[in-house]
Amino acid sequence: MKVLLLGGAGFIGLHLARRLVTDGHEVTIVDDFSRGRQDADLDRLRSCPTVRVVSGDLTAPATWAALPPSGWDQIYLLAAVVGVRNVEQDPARVVRINTLVALHLLDWVAPGERVFFASTSEVYAGGVEAGVVPVPTAETVPTMISDITAPRFAYAASKLLGEAAFLHTARARGFETVVGRFHNVYGPRMGADHVVPEMSLRAMRGADPFPVPGADQYRAFCHVDDAVEAMLRLMATPAAAGQIVHIGNDREETNIGDLAKLVLRVAGVSPAIAAQAAPPGSVSRRCPDLTRLRELTGYEPTVSLEEGVRTTFAWYREHGWPS
């Protein structure tokens, strides 16, 4: 297969690229490297004869004009501005980039091609906090704006727009699309703006007391290897076309305070834990209902939380991450 990864040098993109290369496919990665890294992991991929890496701004028409316009078996749109800090500090950039990249791809994609659009559980988070959306959460729940002033809604709105744009445009223009809503995916090389690497780096630096924002909240964390497996299965399943599908791990819902204890145990340190208030806009509980994903693909998560935290911690201990 010929596969195009838009945002392929980032966290999920690089893990997906490695898996695709291992499976024998040709991969083209396009990234502006604002978040994706030019590092040894990418260099190893770039050295493969079946991999091409393109540095380009996906909000610029010239980048699209330079890409082969058709003949792709699979296209993955992973490029986006994510992270609570980005949303709080520059929400206009989040909306602008996420929307422009999606619209450019919609103008560029050819009939008959198949596109994966990466979305997020944040699109329905307002309903959870409003008490009208159950947890675990299925794809059939209403997406809603419970509070337009909520700090994270700039990001959620950009992804909700993307979902609607891809689902409806695919039907109108004759290409196929799968919308995957990621739920707390974590793993090596994901930056420092996620709770697992944040805690890991904090433990390595010897923080004592050890701050734990949102210690009383609950999450179901999904290791990136499982997320990649789910993506590949969905893109290989004809019946997934035109569907919104939740991607995650519903087997080990955990309290954030207990996650902190796990990270500290893996790190071999025992500071005092200082529970703190959760970040503004953070839902009290998040866990996907994976019934649709299982019925479509037979997917089951295989990486336990302890195993995933151990491998993630080991990666950050070896590589670190800029502050």
Side-chain angles (χ1 to χ4, degrees), residues 178-323:
V178 179
V179 173
R181 288 181 183 161
F182 292 118
H183 289 67
N184 291 103
V185 179
Y186 74 100
R189 197 184 174 273
M190 73 174 303
D193 292 335
H194 182 280
V195 64
V196 175
E198 277 184 349
M199 286 184 177
S200 297
L201 292 166
R202 201 176 297 143
M204 290 176 210
R205 293 165 186 156
D208 189 0
F210 190 84
V212 183
D216 59 344
Q217 295 189 333
Y218 285 81
R219 294 291 185 271
F221 293 97
C222 176
H223 191 269
V224 64
D225 289 349
D226 283 332
V228 165
E229 178 66 24
M231 296 164 71
L232 293 173
R233 288 184 179 225
L234 286 168
M235 288 294 275
T237 302
Q243 301 253 28
I244 297 169
V245 186
H246 287 177
I247 295 174
N249 183 340
D250 58 355
R251 289 182 168 181
E252 292 184 273
E253 192 175 355
T254 188
N255 173 273
I256 298 299
D258 289 338
L259 174 68
K261 294 174 185 175
L262 172 58
V263 171
L264 293 172
R265 186 170 77 247
V266 168
V269 295
S270 53
I273 291 179
Q276 297 180 346
S282 179
V283 295
S284 58
R285 185 183 174 206
R286 179 184 295 128
C287 180
D289 181 331
L290 299 182
T291 301
R292 180 175 292 180
L293 178 58
R294 288 189 171 99
E295 290 178 347
L296 284 168
T297 70
Y299 163 89
E300 289 293 341
T302 61
V303 182
S304 71
L305 181 61
E306 176 147 357
E307 177 189 356
V309 167
R310 286 188 180 279
T311 58
T312 302
F313 182 89
W315 189 92
Y316 279 90
R317 181 169 54 193
E318 179 180 352
H319 297 88
W321 198 269
S323 301

Side-chain angles (χ1 to χ4, degrees), residues 66-288:
L67 292 172
S70 61
W72 301 101
D73 297 294
Q74 294 182 353
I75 300 169
Y76 293 82
L77 178 49
L78 303 168
V81 181
V82 302
V84 175
R85 290 184 182 88
N86 284 320
V87 174
E88 291 178 344
Q89 293 172 7
D90 198 349
R93 175 172 173 260
V94 173
V95 173
R96 176 183 176 275
I97 291 177
N98 295 358
T99 301
L100 278 177
V101 172
L103 293 179
H104 280 312
L105 176 54
L106 287 171
D107 288 339
W108 179 87
V109 66
E113 293 182 325
R114 190 172 178 93
V115 179
F116 180 95
F117 176 71
S119 189
T120 172
S121 58
E122 292 288 346
V123 300
Y124 66 75
V128 174
E129 285 305 279
V132 299
V133 168
V135 181
T137 308
E139 297 84 354
T140 53
V141 301
T143 54
M144 62 176 289
I145 304 171
S146 60
D147 179 7
I148 194 63
T149 67
R152 301 183 186 211
F153 198 74
Y155 173 62
S158 73
K159 288 298 186 178
L160 192 56
L161 172 63
E163 288 191 10
F166 275 92
L167 290 168
H168 296 298
T169 307
R171 286 193 292 267
R173 297 188 184 171
F175 66 91
E176 294 183 344
T177 195
V178 179
V179 173
R181 288 181 183 161
F182 292 118
H183 289 67
N184 291 103
V185 179
Y186 74 100
R189 197 184 174 273
M190 73 174 303
D193 292 335
H194 182 280
V195 64
V196 175
E198 277 184 349
M199 286 184 177
S200 297
L201 292 166
R202 201 176 297 143
M204 290 176 210
R205 293 165 186 156
D208 189 0
F210 190 84
V212 183
D216 59 344
Q217 295 189 333
Y218 285 81
R219 294 291 185 271
F221 293 97
C222 176
H223 191 269
V224 64
D225 289 349
D226 283 332
V228 165
E229 178 66 24
M231 296 164 71
L232 293 173
R233 288 184 179 225
L234 286 168
M235 288 294 275
T237 302
Q243 301 253 28
I244 297 169
V245 186
H246 287 177
I247 295 174
N249 183 340
D250 58 355
R251 289 182 168 181
E252 292 184 273
E253 192 175 355
T254 188
N255 173 273
I256 298 299
D258 289 338
L259 174 68
K261 294 174 185 175
L262 172 58
V263 171
L264 293 172
R265 186 170 77 247
V266 168
V269 295
S270 53
I273 291 179
Q276 297 180 346
S282 179
V283 295
S284 58
R285 185 183 174 206
R286 179 184 295 128
C287 180

